[in-house]
Amino acid sequence: MRLFGSFLLGISLFCTAYILSSAEDTEDREFPLQMTVVSTHAEAEAILRQLEAGKSFEELAKEYSVDAAGPAGGYLGMVKLSTLRPEVREALQSIGPGQVTNVVQIHSGYMILKLLTEAERLEMEVDPATKHQLATAGGHRIVTQVAGFGQVDY
């Protein structure tokens, strides 16, 4: 099952990268995003290092982001690329689902974005009380299997 899941993730990464970089109607498509915004480039680089070390994007956004989405783990929901600044769209073209951008300078500081996988998007949209109930009942595996993502270990 893990081999098949890895295969599907690989296909998903390829397809999303292709969609972001080559589709003519990409500007109207929506993608699930998380972001964190900090004041300095050094802070953003430190967050990237923590992400590379395996820290949770959601937790880092809650802790460090100065953006209004920070308390929600940086979750922006489904975002049309056409609503984003050109430098942000450009940064997203080099990543696939589950990956993060390099640091992007914006008018209010420095941003890091994460393009969520479908499983991550679904998890972000579950309210905290339900998420806790599922975790304590072992329901994450059931939910992800029913949603068609295979078994995911949490």
Side-chain angles (χ1 to χ4, degrees):
M1 182 61 119
R2 287 186 187 269
L3 179 61
F4 183 67
S6 297
F7 173 73
L8 288 179
L9 177 60
I11 289 175
S12 175
L13 289 171
F14 172 77
C15 290
T16 300
Y18 176 78
I19 289 167
L20 282 171
S21 64
S22 65
E24 287 184 20
D25 65 338
T26 298
E27 298 293 313
D28 293 329
R29 303 240 4 227
E30 293 183 335
F31 296 94
L33 297 177
Q34 271 180 297
M35 78 168 182
T36 186
V37 177
V38 292
S39 301
T40 68
H41 192 270
E43 288 174 301
E45 289 292 337
I47 289 173
L48 277 180
R49 285 191 299 276
Q50 290 183 61
L51 289 168
E52 290 170 2
K55 296 275 184 155
S56 160
F57 193 101
E58 180 178 1
E59 292 305 316
L60 291 170
K62 285 179 181 178
E63 186 173 347
Y64 296 108
S65 187
V66 297
D67 185 78
Y75 184 57
L76 300 175
M78 298 296 287
V79 178
K80 283 188 178 186
L81 290 183
S82 61
T83 65
L84 301 174
R85 298 175 56 86
E87 63 269 27
V88 175
R89 287 194 306 264
E90 184 178 326
L92 286 168
Q93 290 180 357
S94 64
I95 65 169
Q99 297 179 328
V100 298
T101 63
N102 289 320
V103 176
V104 179
Q105 185 173 3
I106 58 173
H107 67 283
S108 59
Y110 296 86
M111 170 190 287
I112 301 168
L113 288 150
K114 180 175 182 179
L115 179 60
L116 300 175
T117 65
E118 186 65 14
E120 289 170 326
R121 180 189 70 81
L122 291 172
E123 185 172 336
M124 290 299 296
E125 291 182 356
V126 173
D127 67 89
T130 304
K131 198 180 287 189
H132 176 72
Q133 287 178 323
L134 289 171
T136 57
H140 275 67
R141 287 193 176 107
I142 295 168
V143 171
T144 53
Q145 285 177 335
V146 170
F149 299 108
Q151 186 168 328
V152 178
D153 294 324
Y154 288 93

